[in-house]
Amino acid sequence: MKKIILTIMFVILMCSCSYGATSDDIYVRKDVFEVEMKNINYTLEKILTKLDAQEKSINSLASAVAVLSERVDVNFATLSGRIDGLEKRMDTTNTFLYYLLVLIGAMMILPFFNKWWESREAKKHAAAQTFTLEDVKRLIAEAKLGEMTQI
């Protein structure tokens, strides 16, 4: 980066010296020119020193950001694992609550179901016993009477 800036500054300085010369220009003495060039070189060195310091601070900031990024990645992975564990626990809790609600509902419905089942069984038993002992005796007696009347 500093080589690019130095090259650009050098090109700008050289362009103005070579293309700006005309026959009307006033030439300076060599010692004045050398002093001016030293001044320019000193200024360029100060600029380059500042750029080096800024580059070092940028590099230190970049390394600090890299360390922080690694920490964030580790923390994110840990947090992700904990969230996964929490989700599993919540799923287990939800399943337990659903089973508990079904059990409570079954216990609440059970008395009504028992009454319905008993009435159904009573109807079934009553339908199966439509003929009582008296009915059978009466049928036998009628059958005997029917035989006697035919003779």
Side-chain angles (χ1 to χ4, degrees):
M1 171 107 179
K2 60 184 174 180
K3 289 182 181 181
I4 294 171
I5 294 173
L6 184 60
T7 306
I8 291 172
M9 298 279 285
F10 185 71
V11 167
I12 291 172
L13 287 174
M14 295 310 290
C15 288
S16 65
C17 292
S18 62
Y19 292 117
T22 61
S23 60
D24 296 334
D25 285 343
I26 300 171
Y27 295 98
V28 293
R29 293 187 323 226
K30 184 177 179 182
D31 59 338
V32 174
F33 176 76
E34 287 175 357
V35 169
E36 188 63 30
M37 288 304 291
K38 285 181 182 179
N39 189 19
I40 290 172
N41 286 339
Y42 177 73
T43 306
L44 284 176
E45 285 179 16
K46 281 176 46 177
I47 291 172
L48 290 177
T49 305
K50 286 180 183 178
L51 286 176
D52 283 340
Q54 287 178 354
E55 185 178 355
K56 287 177 183 176
S57 66
I58 288 172
N59 288 339
S60 66
L61 286 175
S63 64
V65 167
V67 169
L68 287 176
S69 176
E70 289 177 21
R71 285 183 182 175
V72 166
D73 289 343
V74 168
N75 288 338
F76 183 76
T78 304
L79 183 63
S80 178
R82 288 183 180 177
I83 288 174
D84 289 342
L86 182 63
E87 286 177 355
K88 288 178 184 176
R89 289 180 190 163
M90 290 297 292
D91 288 342
T92 304
T93 303
N94 285 343
T95 304
F96 172 74
L97 288 176
Y98 292 147
Y99 287 155
L100 186 64
L101 286 174
V102 167
L103 181 64
I104 290 171
M107 290 174 64
M108 291 176 67
I109 292 174
L110 188 62
F112 299 110
F113 180 75
N114 279 340
K115 285 183 184 179
W116 173 77
W117 189 260
E118 287 173 1
S119 67
R120 183 175 172 261
E121 288 294 320
K123 286 181 185 176
K124 188 190 272 186
H125 193 55
Q129 290 187 347
T130 55
F131 296 110
T132 61
L133 185 58
E134 289 86 26
D135 291 337
V136 173
K137 287 180 182 178
R138 187 176 45 82
L139 285 173
I140 293 173
E142 286 179 8
K144 286 183 182 179
L145 283 177
E147 286 178 8
M148 289 184 178
T149 56
Q150 286 182 356
I151 302 182

